[in-house]
């Protein structure tokens, strides 16, 4: 079976989880689960924490204000959005945008593992400290952003600050653009 078909079937499985009655609040209260978007051939996978309100409504990750900044950063890095796979650690919007709980992360984590097993990206870009913590538990985003880092299991990471953080902190915006240029250089 092709990797693309595996990835599409996994997306269907994730979407079908809505209404499965698992009892986890995120799965019960979201409008829909948001598996991720992008091709199985992606060499880069971008991982946020969890969908927000816009993503919950659209069923697509990073389509709100943070997503628009992410698009600009990808352009700065010379990476077409259609060439990367974009997803989240948790596939369902936490109510009132609270942080996902530890048991919710554990509940959703196997889906991300399976997506990564299918795609086998060269580089994984965790956005923000929450996503980073899942791949490099001891790393601090303030110390490791904008450079390559080896994560757990030998995964090649290139952590960036979360674009949403830059919406509230103008100083981070400049840092994110510098890091996007560093990403471009790391890929060339
Ligand atoms: N923030 C995230 O972490 N993920 C999204 O999909 C949107 C905003």
């Amino acid at each position: 079976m092709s990797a693309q078909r595996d990835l599409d079937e996994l997306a269907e499985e994730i979407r079908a989880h809505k209404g499965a009655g698992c009892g986890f609040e995120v799965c019960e209260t979201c409008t829909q689960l948001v598996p991720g978007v992008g091709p199985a051939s992606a060499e880069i996978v971008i991982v946020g924490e969890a969908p927000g309100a816009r993503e919950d409504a659209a069923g697509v990750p990073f389509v709100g204000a943070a997503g628009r900044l992410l698009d600009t950063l990808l352009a700065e890095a010379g990476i077409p959005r259609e060439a990367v796979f974009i997803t989240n650690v948790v596939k369902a919007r936490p109510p009132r945008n609270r942080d996902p709980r530890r048991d919710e992360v554990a509940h959703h984590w196997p889906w991300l593992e399976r997506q990564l097993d299918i795609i086998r990206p060269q580089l994984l870009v965790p956005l923000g400290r929450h996503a980073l913590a899942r791949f490099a538990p001891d790393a601090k985003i303030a110390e490791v952003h904008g450079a390559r880092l080896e994560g757990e299991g030998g995964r090649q990471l290139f952590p960036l600050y979360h674009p949403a953080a830059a919406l509230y902190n103008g100083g981070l915006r400049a840092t994110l653009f510098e890091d996007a240029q560093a990403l471009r250089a790391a890929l060339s």
Side-chain angles (χ1 to χ4, degrees):
M1 217 198 271
S2 74
Q4 190 60 57
R5 197 179 309 168
D6 287 350
L7 194 62
D8 292 345
E9 285 188 5
L10 179 52
E12 277 315 305
E13 179 187 320
I14 296 170
R15 284 194 199 96
H17 183 73
K18 176 70 189 165
C22 67
F24 281 93
E25 190 182 25
V26 282
C27 305
E28 304 278 331
T29 59
C30 70
T31 306
Q32 56 190 322
L33 279 88
V34 181
V37 66
S41 57
E43 291 180 359
I44 299 174
V45 171
I46 298 177
V47 183
E49 185 61 4
R54 295 286 304 277
E55 292 75 21
D56 179 69
V60 181
F62 283 99
V63 290
R68 283 194 293 282
L69 180 51
L70 178 62
D71 289 349
T72 313
L73 292 167
L74 287 172
E76 188 75 16
I79 303 167
R81 182 174 166 126
E82 322 75 68
V84 298
F85 188 78
I86 306 176
T87 190
N88 286 295
V89 174
V90 168
K91 313 297 191 198
R93 180 195 181 206
R96 300 167 304 281
N97 290 347
R98 64 162 170 76
D99 285 346
R101 299 191 177 116
R102 191 186 291 261
D103 60 351
E104 292 168 340
V105 170
H107 180 54
H108 285 218
W109 182 255
W111 283 321
L112 180 55
E113 290 270 27
R114 285 168 62 194
Q115 288 174 324
L116 294 174
D117 279 351
I118 293 168
I119 300 170
R120 301 197 171 279
Q122 288 176 15
L123 205 59
L124 203 152
V125 178
L127 297 177
R129 64 191 169 94
H130 292 298
L132 173 64
R134 318 296 172 203
F135 298 101
D138 298 329
K140 299 204 169 17
I141 189 75
E143 292 168 6
V144 302
H145 68 91
R148 274 185 190 266
L149 170 75
E150 188 165 313
E152 274 188 345
R155 279 203 173 109
Q156 293 300 305
L157 311 178
F158 197 101
L160 295 179
Y161 279 110
H162 197 296
L167 298 177
Y168 305 103
N169 176 345
L172 270 191
R173 198 179 160 87
T175 305
L176 263 173
F177 275 87
E178 280 168 25
D179 289 354
Q181 285 160 10
L183 178 56
R184 179 191 277 262
L187 295 171
S188 61

